[in-house]
Amino acid sequence: STTPVTVTVTGAAGQIGYALLFRIASGAMLGPDTPVRLRLLEIPQAVKAAEGTAMELDDCAFPLLSGVDIYDSAEAAFDSVNVALLVGARPRGPGMERGDLLAANGGIFGPQGAAINKGAASDVRVLVVGNPANTNALIAASHAPDVPASRFTAMMRLDHNRALAQLAARAGVGVAAVSNVTIWGNHSAKQYPDIAHAVIGGRPAPSVIADDAWVADTFVPTVAKRGAAIIEARGASSAASAANAAIDHVRDWVLGTPEGSWTSVGLVSDGSYGVPEGLISGFPCVSRDGQWEIVQGLSVSESAQAGIDVSVGELVEERDAVRELGLI
Ligand code: NAI
């Protein structure tokens, strides 16, 4: 189609924004035939920096980029949006309690959800990247009663891609040979990365790896703590890999997941796998006809269910805390 898709990116002047916008404008997210109109939302102090990024977007002369606009108002930025990438969030400051963090983010994601409810296009798809991503997505969704809850997703794809890379390295194969990993639960250090149904080179991953101790003691913590390892090494948090994961998430959502393989998505629970209905949890998902569906009927071992339950327990605590604060 030649009608441009309107993509709003919040936190556009941040480091993920800088790694994300150019790839969206190049066609990496929506494909080589879809023009995009970018809307950048920032807080007033960062609008000038966003203007600098917009100048660079102009200077790339991307054939698919039909315009860039900058806003410091959520209502304007989300008017007729088709794809909303909610990246900007309040980071945890020194001495900040969890309640303070959740309250500060509620003040961002509540109004943004309301603005999406008011003005977004009827096909709007929302990906929340800003942390705590699952609970921020829950807050935004709860302020958008007219938008189906399944349109509000949280990003588990960076964890998913990290898991693919770790498995490929261990097995000595290319990442393209690895599929059907699942990141269950919360995007946090308590996530549960699961290889029980993963496939490596057409064979079951558990028998290819054949080392349960490595999976439990090395693979799971490496994936779950990778964000901290990147900060330690780079002196800054994951940015290009986070932007890449956001691109992968939206591309699969819009264009479909490859036949026979699934990915990990923070999606509203329908009660599957013992996850309380309404929580936004990591699940194995496929995208069909532009909609995410939770892969059903996978066998879950007792130890896997215990790992899922721990992570989901953290989501329940976060939900109860934001409920207590009146944020949902
Ligand atoms: P950053 O600090 O470089 O950029 C954040 C930007 O958001 C800043 O430019 C800030 O001005 C803007 N911002 C703050 N409040 C805003 C609001 N109300 N409206 C619009 N913009 C607002 O941070 P970075 O590295 O780009 O990360 C962004 C978020 O992504 C963080 O919350 C981070 O924890 C999260 N993250 C999530 C990952 C995931 O896998 N889900 C992976 C990596 C990062």
Side-chain angles (χ1 to χ4, degrees):
S1 107
T2 51
T3 314
V5 171
T6 298
V7 179
T8 300
V9 178
T10 77
Q15 55 154 2
I16 294 175
Y18 196 73
L20 180 59
L21 292 164
F22 298 87
R23 295 194 58 202
I24 297 171
S26 76
M29 187 170 80
L30 298 170
D33 303 320
T34 306
V36 292
R37 200 159 58 122
L38 281 171
R39 301 188 148 185
L40 318 188
L41 178 64
E42 261 296 350
I43 54 175
Q45 309 87 284
V47 160
K48 188 166 180 212
E51 284 168 356
T53 303
M55 289 163 68
E56 284 201 76
L57 283 163
D58 286 345
D59 295 349
C60 292
F62 288 118
L64 290 173
L65 184 59
S66 75
V68 184
D69 293 292
I70 299 163
Y71 302 88
D72 63 6
S73 139
E75 284 208 3
F78 291 119
D79 185 42
S80 61
V81 62
N82 304 109
V83 177
L85 301 172
L86 310 191
V87 179
R90 176 72 192 272
R92 190 188 285 259
M96 204 171 177
E97 301 292 334
R98 186 179 67 169
D100 302 334
L101 180 75
L102 293 172
N105 280 296
I108 295 172
F109 289 86
Q112 290 183 359
I116 288 167
N117 195 58
K118 185 169 178 200
S122 61
D123 71 344
V124 67
R125 292 180 172 89
V126 183
L127 171 62
V128 177
V129 175
N131 281 318
N134 302 58
T135 297
N136 288 340
L138 183 71
I139 293 169
S142 82
H143 286 75
D146 304 328
V147 179
S150 61
R151 304 287 189 76
F152 284 85
T153 61
M155 194 164 90
M156 309 299 290
R157 187 63 174 261
L158 178 54
D159 311 291
H160 181 94
N161 286 347
R162 286 166 170 165
L164 295 179
Q166 293 298 320
L167 281 182
R170 176 72 180 186
V173 301
V175 279
V178 185
S179 65
N180 296 3
V181 165
T182 302
I183 311 294
W184 300 90
N186 201 1
H187 167 72
S188 79
K190 285 191 180 166
Q191 64 185 253
Y192 183 63
D194 181 8
I195 73 155
H197 299 278
V199 175
I200 302 177
R203 295 172 53 212
S207 60
V208 174
I209 299 290
D211 187 346
D212 293 347
W214 177 81
V215 173
D217 303 334
T218 302
F219 169 76
V220 167
T222 298
V223 172
K225 296 178 191 163
R226 186 71 166 180
I230 299 290
I231 292 174
E232 170 70 23
R234 207 172 85 85
S237 61
S238 316
S241 55
N244 178 69
I247 297 271
D248 285 352
H249 177 115
V250 174
R251 192 194 52 227
D252 282 354
W253 195 353
V254 173
L255 302 175
T257 40
E259 195 55 44
S261 86
W262 68 68
T263 187
S264 302
V265 174
L267 188 66
V268 63
S269 179
D270 57 359
S272 298
Y273 301 104
V275 182
E277 215 177 316
L279 287 181
I280 296 186
S281 168
F283 284 109
C285 291
V286 294
S287 164
R288 297 272 170 271
D289 303 321
Q291 301 200 46
W292 289 120
E293 293 168 16
I294 298 171
V295 176
Q296 298 293 339
L298 297 175
S299 61
V300 177
S301 70
E302 246 174 66
S303 70
Q305 191 66 53
I308 295 170
D309 291 349
V310 166
S311 193
V312 169
E314 188 178 52
L315 288 173
V316 169
E317 283 176 24
E318 291 182 12
R319 179 200 59 197
D320 291 349
V322 297
R323 206 175 255 166
E324 190 107 332
L325 291 162
L327 298 172
I328 59 170

